[in-house]
Amino acid sequence: MKPWTHVVTPHSDIRAGRLDEAVFAADLSDVVADRGPLEYSDPWTFFRRTYPARGLTNLLGAVLARLAGLGKGEAVIQIQTPFGGGKTHSLIALYHLIRHGRKLGNTVAEILQAAGVDAIPEASVVTFVGTAADPLKGKTPWGEIAHQLGQYDLLKEHDQRRRAPGKDLLHQLLSPQPTLILMDEIAEYSVKARDFRDQVVAFFQELTETVKVLPRCVLVVTLPSSAPYGEEGERALHQLQEVFKRVETIKTPVEGEEIYEVIRRRLFEDTGDPQEARATAEEFFDMYLRLGDDLPREFREPSYRERMRKAYPFHPELIDILFERWSTFPAFQRTRGVLRLLGQMVSELYQQRDPSPLVLPAHVNLGNPAIRGELLRHIGNQYQGVIAADIAAGGKAKAEQIDQWMGSEYTRYGVASGLARAIFFASFSGSEKQGIAIQRLRIGVLQPGLPPAIISDALRRMEDELWYLHCEKGTYWFSTQPNLNRIIVDKEQAVKPEEITEEIHKRLGKLAGNELRVTLWPRASQDVPDTRELKLVVLPLERTREAKDTQHFVQELLERSGQVFRSYRNTVLVLAPDAGELASARQHVKRLLALKAIQQDKPLWSQLSEENRKVVASKLKDAEEGTAHRLLSAYRHLAKADRQGVQWFDLGLPTSGAKASLAYRVRDYLRTEDLLVEHISPGRILEKAMGPAEQEKSVDEIYEAFLKYPHMPILDKKQVLLEAIAAGVERGIFGVRIGELVLFKQKISPSQLETGAVIVREPKKVAPQPAPSDKPPRKKGPSDQEPEAEIHPPPPESDTSKAICHYRLKVQLSWKKISDFLRGVLTPLHRDGAEIRIQILLEARSERGIQPRTLDVAVRETLRQIGAEILEENTSGPPAGA
C-alpha cells in the first residue's frame, strides 16, 4: 500500500495550507451578483467540482423537462436536507444550468440526456434569497420576482404596501415565457418579516397554485429540516410546510454513499489511480477478516470493502462519525461542516507527508487550533482543559507521554494518542448517542502493520493514567468530569442484586403513604382483604407491567380474594412497576449503595483528595434525593377493574423535586382523571346506580353498587354519596323515604341518610315537610295550619289483581354470572317483599384434582361463616391417571 499522500492530490489552496472556508459556504445571492469564490461563481469550475449525484441529476433533469414543455417534470419542488446538506448548491446548479448551460457543452451532456432534451431551453431565471433580502426596506418576494422579470409596475403597489398579490396577477406576471423561480432561505425571511408574515405565507400559497397550472414554469424552494431562531422559527417553518406539502415534490440531491464522491470532488483535484484505492481497501478488509469478532460484523461484510474504496483516501468511519454524530448538533452545517473539518485535516496531513494508507479517526489532530476550534464550537470551550491534560499538549498530555514511555510501535504509530483522539472524536453528538465501544474503536486506529494487541494494552494504560477518560461496559468517552467513576464502577460491581432489592423495599415502604390503605408485595389474592375501604396494592418488583404473567396476576387480585370472588372490586387499585424505569431505578440504587460503600471504606476514603471527597458527597446527596423520584417513576402503571377485566393507566413521570407518596400520586391522578370523585351530582347517581325501571333503591344498595361495580366512579368516601343525595332531595331531583316519611324538595342533613334511607325516583304529589328532627314537637299556636297531606311514599302503580304470590325458578348458569344473578334476580324480588329461599346444586370437576385443603379451608369454612345448611355433599377421586 502507498501512503495516501502519494496517490491523491488536493486542490492547490489545500496543498498550500491556505484553505479559504468560504469555498464551502455556497450563497446563491453571491453567485447572482457575480461575487464570491470562483468555485461557485464560475459555471465551468462549479460543474467540474460538482459530483453528479443521482438525486441532483434527477432534479436538474426534471426542471429541464418542464421548462422545455415536454409535459413532464414537477411544477413545485422542495429541496429538503439537514442544515448545510447541499440545498443551496443544488439551486446554484440550476441557476448555472439554465443561465449558462448552452455554453457548457459536454459538461452538461449527461444532464440533458437524463432529461430527454436536446438543448437547454430558453427561460427566465428568477432568484430570491431570504438571508440577503431586507424585509424592512427591500423588496418583498413578489416585488423582487416582478422586478427581475421586468414587470415591477404590475406589482408595485402590492410590494410597497406589503400585500400579497392574487393568482390572477401572478398568472399575468409569469405566463408569457418559461420561468424558473429559485427561492432559498425563505424560512429565515419569514421569521424576519414578522410584521407581514401572514402575507408572505399567503403569497407562497398563491404562487404554488399559479405555478402548478403553468406548463413551463417551475418553482424550486429550500426549507430546512429544523427551524431557525427558536419558537418564531418553528412557527414560520410550520406555516410554510403546510403550504408546500399540498403541491410539492421533495428532492434530496445527495443520498447514501454518494457523499463520499461529493467530498472527494470538493477536496481533491486528482483522486488518483482507482487501483491504489482498491488495493488499500482490500488490505484493510483482509485485516478485518483476520481479527474476526474483535471487530463489529458490519466491517467484515464485503459491502464495507466497497465503501472503503469509494471513500478513499478517507476511512468511511471518519466520515460516518461526522455525519451520524457531529451533524446532529443543531449548528453543525452537515456537508459544509464536514468539508471544512476534512479540508483542515487534509491540509495539515498532506503538508506533513503523512505515511498512513488511509485518513482515520485517529488522525483528527486536536492539537491543531483550527480542527480543535471546529469541534469545540459545538461542545464548549470547557473541553480545552480535557484535551490539554489527556490528549494533545505538545507532548505533555498523558496520552502523548504514554507513547513516549512505551517506545517502539507506540511512538511510531502514536497508539495512545491516536486512541485518545478517536475516543474524543466519537464522544459527542447532538443526541444521546455518545462514546464508542472497544470493537468499533479498533476500527478508528488499526492499520496493517500495527499489532492489534497493542490496542488493548494501550487502553489499559490510558484507563490508569488519564484524568478525564471514562469507561463503562466496554464503551469509552471523554468528559469534563474526572474519572472518579472508575472507583464507583468497581464498588457497583460488588453490590449484590439482593442488596438492591432490599434497599428498594425499605424505601418503598417509606414511600407508600397513608392516603390509601396500602398492601405491599402481595403474593396471592388472599393477601388483599375484600373490604369496603379504598385499597392500593403495590406489586412486587418482579411483577413489572411488561412481564407476561402480570396481567393474569392483577386480574386475579381484582376478581378474587383467595378462593372466593371479590365483592368490592371497585375498591382495589393495583400499582405495577415499569420495566425500563425500574431498571433505571435499580441502577440508581446500585450507584447509591456504591457511593455509601466508598464513604464507609476508610482506607479508600483516606486516599481520596478533598475535591474527590466532595464529589462523592455531592453524588451521594443527589442519589439520596433522587431515589424517591426514581422509585415513583418506576411505579407508574395503575390498574383497576373494568367490565372487560383490567384497565391500565399510566401515571406518567412525577414532577421533579415534588415530595409525594405512592398513595398520594395515585389519589391525585384518579382525581385529575375524574375517576375518584369528591363530589357527585344527584343526577349522576340516578344515571349510574339506578336502572331506568327502578323507582326506588336503598342508599345502602347504592353505596354498595359504587363499591362493587368497576364501571362506577370511585367515591372518595361515603359522605360524598350522602351529600349528593341530600342535594338531590333539596333540589327536587328525587325524593327519599326515611321510615314512613317521604322527603322531597326540602333541606335534610346527610347524617339522616345513614341508615334505612331509600331513594324514590318520582315522589307523587307529596307536600314538602320539615325534615325529621330529634327535638320535641312545638305546641301548636292559633296561627298554625294543618298540613295539606301526611308524608307518605307514593303508592306503587301496580295491579294487585294480577300480583303473583309464589314464584319458583330452576335455572342453569355460569358461575361467573352469580353476581349478576344476585343483582338482577334476587334483589328485585326482595325489593317486592318476597321471602326468598334458595337451594344450590353445585357440581365441580377438575382434571388436576381439587385439593382437600381447598374444601376444608375455603369452601366449608365459607359455608359455615354464612350460615349455610349443607343438605348433601359428595366427593370422588382421585382423577384418572393420578
Side-chain angles (χ1 to χ4, degrees), residues 265-276:
R265 286 280 188 103
R266 299 293 297 280
L267 297 181
F268 301 101
E269 66 181 36
D270 180 4
T271 55
D273 183 356
Q275 292 305 318
E276 293 293 343

Side-chain angles (χ1 to χ4, degrees), residues 341-580:
L341 182 68
L342 294 180
Q344 295 286 357
M345 290 181 63
V346 168
S347 180
E348 178 185 47
L349 293 170
Y350 192 83
Q351 291 182 69
Q352 295 172 353
R353 306 305 289 176
D354 176 50
S356 304
L358 286 179
V359 183
L360 298 163
H363 296 132
V364 180
N365 183 12
L366 298 171
N368 181 322
I371 294 174
R372 183 173 66 246
E374 182 66 35
L375 300 180
L376 292 182
R377 74 171 68 179
H378 304 292
I379 60 176
N381 286 326
Q382 65 269 27
Y383 281 94
Q384 289 272 21
V386 175
I387 294 171
D390 281 357
I391 305 171
K396 296 180 181 179
K398 289 179 171 55
E400 295 172 321
Q401 290 175 345
I402 291 174
D403 286 333
Q404 295 166 17
W405 295 336
M406 299 309 298
S408 64
E409 282 90 351
Y410 275 81
T411 304
R412 177 184 171 191
Y413 291 103
V415 178
S417 298
L419 281 167
R421 294 177 191 138
I423 293 170
F424 188 90
F425 187 56
S427 290
F428 309 97
S429 75
S431 63
E432 294 181 359
K433 188 176 183 179
Q434 297 183 344
I436 184 168
I438 185 170
Q439 290 89 348
R440 199 174 190 104
L441 176 58
R442 292 190 180 104
I443 294 293
V445 179
L446 276 174
Q447 51 183 295
L450 175 62
I454 289 182
I455 301 294
S456 299
D457 182 60
L459 282 171
R460 284 193 296 270
R461 295 178 184 276
M462 291 167 66
E463 290 173 32
D464 290 338
E465 298 293 336
L466 271 60
W467 287 352
Y468 298 98
L469 176 64
H470 299 256
C471 176
E472 186 172 339
K473 296 181 180 178
T475 298
Y476 291 85
W477 73 96
F478 277 101
S479 167
T480 55
Q481 293 296 319
N483 56 5
L484 182 64
N485 284 339
R486 177 164 168 257
I487 300 173
I488 298 173
V489 169
D490 289 341
K491 288 294 184 182
E492 284 181 343
Q493 291 174 347
V495 177
K496 298 176 181 177
E498 55 266 29
E499 292 175 326
I500 299 173
T501 300
E502 181 181 351
E503 184 69 17
I504 290 177
H505 277 175
K506 182 176 72 175
R507 291 175 179 268
L508 280 174
K510 296 177 180 178
L511 271 176
N514 55 11
E515 292 83 356
L516 300 168
R517 174 174 174 170
V518 180
T519 299
L520 296 173
W521 346 122
R523 297 296 170 182
S525 62
Q526 60 260 33
D527 295 340
V528 182
D530 190 12
T531 59
R532 288 181 172 86
E533 62 188 326
L534 193 55
K535 298 169 284 294
L536 176 63
V537 180
V538 181
L539 294 187
L541 299 180
E542 66 272 17
R543 299 280 192 186
T544 64
R545 172 69 178 91
E546 295 83 356
K548 63 179 182 180
D549 59 344
T550 295
Q551 179 79 8
H552 175 75
F553 182 72
V554 170
Q555 191 159 353
E556 185 78 6
L557 290 177
L558 295 173
E559 293 183 354
R560 303 186 69 86
S561 179
Q563 299 297 323
V564 299
F565 287 102
R566 186 177 296 281
S567 295
Y568 301 108
R569 295 176 63 205
N570 208 30
T571 67
V572 181
L573 304 163
V574 182
L575 206 53
D578 179 89

